[in-house]
Amino acid sequence: MSFTARSFGLFAVLTLASLVACGDDSNSGGTGGAGGSGGDAAGPGSTSAGTGATSGVTSGVATSGATTGSATTGVTTSATTGTGGTGTGGGDSTTSTATGSTGSGSCDIFCSDFEGGALPSEVQFYPEYLRASMGDYVTLDSTGHSGSRSVKVSGTGFSQMLGVPVPSTFWGRIYLKGDSASQMGHNTYIAATTGNGDPNEGEHIRIGEHQCQLELNRKSDDAEKLSNGGMYTCSGGVKLAADTWYCLEFHYDGPGREVRVFVDGAEVEAMHVSDWGPYDYKLFKFGFEKYHGGNKTMWYDDIALGTERIGCGP
């Protein structure tokens, strides 16, 4: 896949940026259900789908973190339609090769290609108060990137995320695809958190979609880095087309205050930050968290987390 970048004039930057803000994504949650959505005043509408055309890789940043939880249960192994037999977590010890053409590291923190028939024991569902019903949101699906399975996340509520313990500094690679193109509304695909996995606890540095493009967002103050350089419009930026696998790489350096993001091997420079922190990340999360976008189904495969860059290889 290839991307093209489009530039914008300074006048448009100053005009558009002054009109919009992403809003506060703080949500309340309880033992009985998910929290509400955060504010997102940007753009003419926050639930419409994006254009879906593949374009513009420049650079990127994101973070991860949070704590571990209880044993994973209720995972369903299924065909593409999401139906099938029931499985339990903790049984998948299968790992991916995780030696990439654009990196030399190995997945010495965690890796899996999800071919083992159940989620690895390290992977937990968040928020914890929805863990008993995680089977409604997470299945092992037959639409694999490199093999016959991937993790399917049905994003129909506020937050449906899977988490893996990480150190405060790490590299990562994951393959992802969605059933719709990048949306105008604000949603999260992956995140690093300093908290216990709950979406409202601790700091969260999040990579997701907003204004029909890839973006980086910080929960505490809603600071945001759009991949088109900051124009609150659906023009330009890194757009993820529907039903297409992408290699998403990320480097979270909590003590060093840095986040970097790469798509299909190319760094997204507009998403690079070097002054967010310092943070002590505890958990890397992936799945779907919805603020002001529509529902979305996501697939994830070939996840690799390590102390060095891993790359987009097999």
Side-chain angles (χ1 to χ4, degrees):
M1 299 141 221
S2 63
F3 298 86
T4 60
R6 299 175 59 186
S7 59
F8 298 85
L10 178 61
F11 176 78
V13 177
L14 297 175
T15 302
L16 291 172
S18 65
L19 295 177
V20 296
C22 198
D24 182 6
D25 296 324
S26 177
N27 296 274
S28 61
T31 57
S37 61
D40 185 355
S46 55
T47 58
S48 61
T51 61
T54 303
S55 71
V57 171
T58 40
S59 95
V61 191
T63 30
S64 84
T67 61
T68 62
S70 60
T72 304
T73 59
V75 177
T76 302
T77 56
S78 69
T80 307
T81 57
T83 61
T86 301
T88 58
D92 184 3
S93 60
T94 308
T95 58
S96 59
T97 305
T99 301
S101 58
T102 57
S104 59
S106 63
C107 54
D108 50 359
I109 296 174
F110 172 82
C111 58
S112 180
D113 55 14
F114 305 110
E115 295 296 304
L119 288 178
S121 59
E122 298 93 331
V123 179
Q124 304 297 330
F125 180 82
Y126 297 95
E128 187 173 357
Y129 60 78
L130 290 179
R131 194 168 289 163
S133 58
M134 68 171 287
D136 295 337
Y137 307 108
V138 177
T139 59
L140 289 179
D141 192 74
S142 63
T143 56
H145 166 258
S146 63
S148 61
R149 290 193 184 279
S150 64
V151 176
K152 177 182 177 182
V153 179
S154 300
T156 57
F158 161 47
S159 182
Q160 301 88 40
M161 301 286 277
L162 297 167
V164 179
V166 291
S168 59
T169 299
F170 66 97
W171 285 85
R173 187 277 317 282
I174 197 167
Y175 280 86
L176 77 165
K177 73 171 182 175
D179 67 345
S180 63
S182 302
Q183 298 187 47
M184 178 180 287
H186 186 197
N187 306 300
T188 288
Y189 306 145
I190 71 169
T193 178
T194 63
N196 62 8
D198 187 278
N200 294 310
E201 203 278 330
E203 183 63 278
H204 297 253
I205 308 298
R206 311 178 290 203
I207 300 175
E209 61 187 12
H210 192 201
Q211 295 294 317
C212 316
Q213 64 193 277
L214 200 67
E215 55 89 57
L216 179 71
N217 174 255
R218 179 167 61 183
K219 178 185 183 299
S220 59
D221 61 356
D222 212 36
E224 184 173 46
K225 296 288 186 178
L226 293 173
S227 56
N228 70 1
M231 301 297 93
Y232 279 83
T233 171
C234 280
S235 299
V238 179
K239 301 182 183 302
L240 306 186
D243 301 317
T244 304
W245 286 107
Y246 293 89
C247 172
L248 179 65
E249 295 178 84
F250 36 90
H251 181 220
Y252 296 105
D253 183 352
R257 306 169 182 246
E258 185 176 30
V259 181
R260 299 172 64 188
V261 178
F262 305 77
V263 177
D264 289 342
E267 185 164 11
V268 186
E269 294 293 342
M271 294 171 65
H272 180 211
V273 296
S274 57
D275 58 355
W276 286 11
Y279 300 126
D280 182 13
Y281 297 125
K282 297 291 191 293
L283 197 74
F284 168 72
K285 298 169 68 178
F286 63 99
F288 195 70
E289 198 164 276
K290 180 175 70 172
Y291 316 122
H292 281 274
N295 293 341
K296 191 164 188 169
T297 299
M298 297 291 299
W299 287 264
Y300 295 94
D301 202 0
D302 296 325
I303 179 174
L305 305 173
T307 54
E308 299 179 6
R309 187 176 178 186
I310 296 161
C312 293

